[in-house]
Amino acid sequence: MSFQHDPTKQDVLVVNKGYAELKNTNFSNGTMEFDTKFVGGRITGITFRQHDDVADALYFRPSADCAVSEECIQYMPTAHHVFEWDLYGQYQTHAPINPDGWNHIKLVLSGARMNVFINGARSPTLAVGTLVGGFPDGTIRLHGPASYAHLSIAPHIVDGLSAVAFNDPAKSDLRVVRHWLASTPFVMPSRMDATLQENTGIDPVYSSMPKETALWKPITPDPGGLINLTRWYGDAQTGQAIAGMWLKTTINTDHDQIKHVDIGWTREVWIFVNGKLAFQSKNLYGVKGASKEPGGRLSLTNGSFDLPLHKGANQVAVAIDDNFAGGQQHWGWGLEMRLANTGGIRPMGDAGANANAANAL
């Protein structure tokens, strides 16, 4: 990190790697503006409302096609120092970014919302309806590699932006499977897949799932019904080790039926219904033949399958891992699941999952 003099920008902060944290700054609501210049198309960004390893983040992927690329800029939360870009694809968009010159960035934060304006745009380049970093205020970090100049902060100036989060339709959508119990993370056994030329998890068997007497913890979903395992556990393992976890819930139905299910996940998943394998697949970023649309990110469009249910209580168990191609960085991992309809389904998860939670905790 260094300070340099630029004739057009005066004093410039150059962050070559890592980040520069603003001293004695506790930013909550207001307007933050700065100029930034990127380095050779390298990905960078800023984090705000930062508390230790938890923050909200604005991410830049500068490129010549930023004007049309939906991946140019993105909002995401961070937890355990992990940037969760692959879990929040709904908050990325194109932007009028100059990848080779200076860019003016304006952020307006108000409670749970944020508007981002790039290079003098009159309407928000990116509008975030629900900030989910976890804290209402905190410090600011400028990440490298990038140069920064003309940073200004105007507390409480929010240009009329509401502080109330957007309505989350998933909260009242009874099709969304929200009540899950999570096991303790473990190292997923793995092997080299000769076809994919990637290290992949060895198919787990149902009998390897922890017993009822093991520690099972309820997971509170993020907006959209996202079971965000990064928020709770980070990458759980380091280096080339793949982290795995079991999730389980109970679906009660008043008659035998087959229910179609949409599912989003990162990275490898195996789903068992009443002890029998019903679905397995991979969503490995950047791996041909194993990456799901959109772009290896989590979405309910990643896949679908039929859930065979019998009358009464049905256990749905999920083995999931955070296997990111290359094995050195794991990024976000999580799960979303939504039934096609709720015909014949009684409230999900409450009887079985909550009873299990009471017994286990």
Side-chain angles (χ1 to χ4, degrees), residues 311-332:
K311 181 179 179 180
N314 296 264
Q315 184 197 67
V316 178
V318 177
I320 186 170
D321 71 34
D322 71 346
N323 183 20
F324 193 81
Q328 294 299 321
Q329 175 62 276
H330 301 280
W331 304 109

Side-chain angles (χ1 to χ4, degrees), residues 29 49 109-114 128-132 162-166:
N29 300 315
R49 294 179 175 175
L109 281 83
S110 178
R113 297 194 191 185
M114 176 177 71
V128 179
T130 307
L131 296 167
V132 292
S162 171
V164 180
F166 281 4

Side-chain angles (χ1 to χ4, degrees), residues 54-108:
V54 175
D56 292 287
L58 182 65
Y59 209 59
F60 302 101
R61 301 182 184 94
S63 68
D65 63 350
C66 256
V68 295
S69 171
E70 292 301 313
E71 299 180 8
C72 183
I73 65 170
Q74 182 178 3
Y75 161 76
M76 73 204 75
T78 74
H80 304 278
H81 299 296
V82 177
F83 285 75
E84 301 165 39
W85 57 271
D86 44 357
L87 302 184
Y88 285 89
Q90 72 271 33
Y91 285 135
Q92 61 181 17
T93 189
H94 58 277
I97 287 287
N98 178 357
D100 302 314
W102 285 95
N103 296 271
H104 185 73
I105 314 297
K106 176 182 176 181
L107 282 68
V108 179

Side-chain angles (χ1 to χ4, degrees), residues 8-328:
T8 62
K9 296 295 177 183
Q10 298 180 348
D11 291 330
V12 174
L13 172 66
V14 179
V15 183
N16 294 310
K17 61 180 180 179
Y19 59 84
E21 183 169 310
L22 302 188
K23 290 184 177 181
N24 304 317
T25 300
N26 186 47
F27 183 54
S28 175
N29 300 315
T31 298
M32 174 169 51
E33 298 188 58
F34 59 91
D35 294 329
T36 187
K37 187 176 183 180
F38 307 111
V39 178
R42 299 277 298 277
I43 296 172
T44 187
I46 67 167
T47 52
F48 49 93
R49 294 179 175 175
Q50 180 97 38
H51 282 257
D52 297 323
D53 59 1
V54 175
D56 292 287
L58 182 65
Y59 209 59
F60 302 101
R61 301 182 184 94
S63 68
D65 63 350
C66 256
V68 295
S69 171
E70 292 301 313
E71 299 180 8
C72 183
I73 65 170
Q74 182 178 3
Y75 161 76
M76 73 204 75
T78 74
H80 304 278
H81 299 296
V82 177
F83 285 75
E84 301 165 39
W85 57 271
D86 44 357
L87 302 184
Y88 285 89
Q90 72 271 33
Y91 285 135
Q92 61 181 17
T93 189
H94 58 277
I97 287 287
N98 178 357
D100 302 314
W102 285 95
N103 296 271
H104 185 73
I105 314 297
K106 176 182 176 181
L107 282 68
V108 179
L109 281 83
S110 178
R113 297 194 191 185
M114 176 177 71
N115 284 341
V116 180
F117 302 83
I118 305 293
N119 287 328
R122 293 183 177 275
S123 58
T125 308
L126 174 66
V128 179
T130 307
L131 296 167
V132 292
F135 289 95
D137 56 18
T139 60
I140 296 170
R141 292 178 179 176
L142 308 175
H143 291 253
S147 297
Y148 297 90
H150 294 165
L151 173 67
S152 66
I153 297 174
H156 313 302
I157 304 300
V158 299
D159 296 340
L161 180 63
S162 171
V164 180
F166 281 4
N167 178 54
D168 178 14
K171 274 191 174 182
S172 57
D173 189 342
L174 299 180
R175 300 173 301 162
V176 176
V177 184
R178 300 173 53 86
H179 301 282
W180 294 93
L181 296 175
S183 74
T184 301
F186 58 89
V187 175
M188 173 70 76
S190 61
R191 65 186 173 197
M192 177 59 64
D193 186 299
T195 301
L196 299 177
Q197 287 298 298
E198 290 289 346
N199 201 35
T200 60
I202 295 175
D203 293 346
V205 294
Y206 177 75
S207 60
S208 68
M209 184 175 73
K211 305 301 182 185
E212 295 292 332
T213 54
L215 181 63
W216 290 89
K217 292 185 177 182
I219 294 286
T220 301
D222 277 16
L226 169 64
I227 305 304
N228 183 348
L229 299 177
T230 306
R231 181 181 300 282
W232 295 90
Y233 300 102
D235 54 13
Q237 303 295 332
T238 58
Q240 294 186 352
I242 300 172
M245 180 178 291
W246 284 89
L247 303 170
K248 66 179 181 179
T249 191
T250 300
I251 297 179
N252 298 285
T253 177
D254 59 15
H255 63 275
D256 292 351
Q257 61 174 310
I258 295 176
K259 191 69 71 176
H260 196 67
V261 174
D262 293 322
I263 181 173
W265 77 95
T266 56
R267 291 293 164 191
E268 298 180 282
V269 70
W270 299 261
I271 299 178
F272 300 83
V273 182
N274 298 320
K276 296 182 179 180
L277 184 66
F279 177 81
Q280 68 179 95
S281 192
K282 305 180 189 301
N283 188 9
L284 305 181
Y285 177 79
V287 178
K288 186 177 181 180
S291 178
K292 306 298 184 186
E293 291 297 334
R297 292 154 172 80
L298 185 148
S299 168
L300 282 171
T301 62
N302 291 155
S304 62
F305 66 100
D306 288 330
L307 200 65
L309 304 173
H310 60 61
K311 181 179 179 180
N314 296 264
Q315 184 197 67
V316 178
V318 177
I320 186 170
D321 71 34
D322 71 346
N323 183 20
F324 193 81
Q328 294 299 321

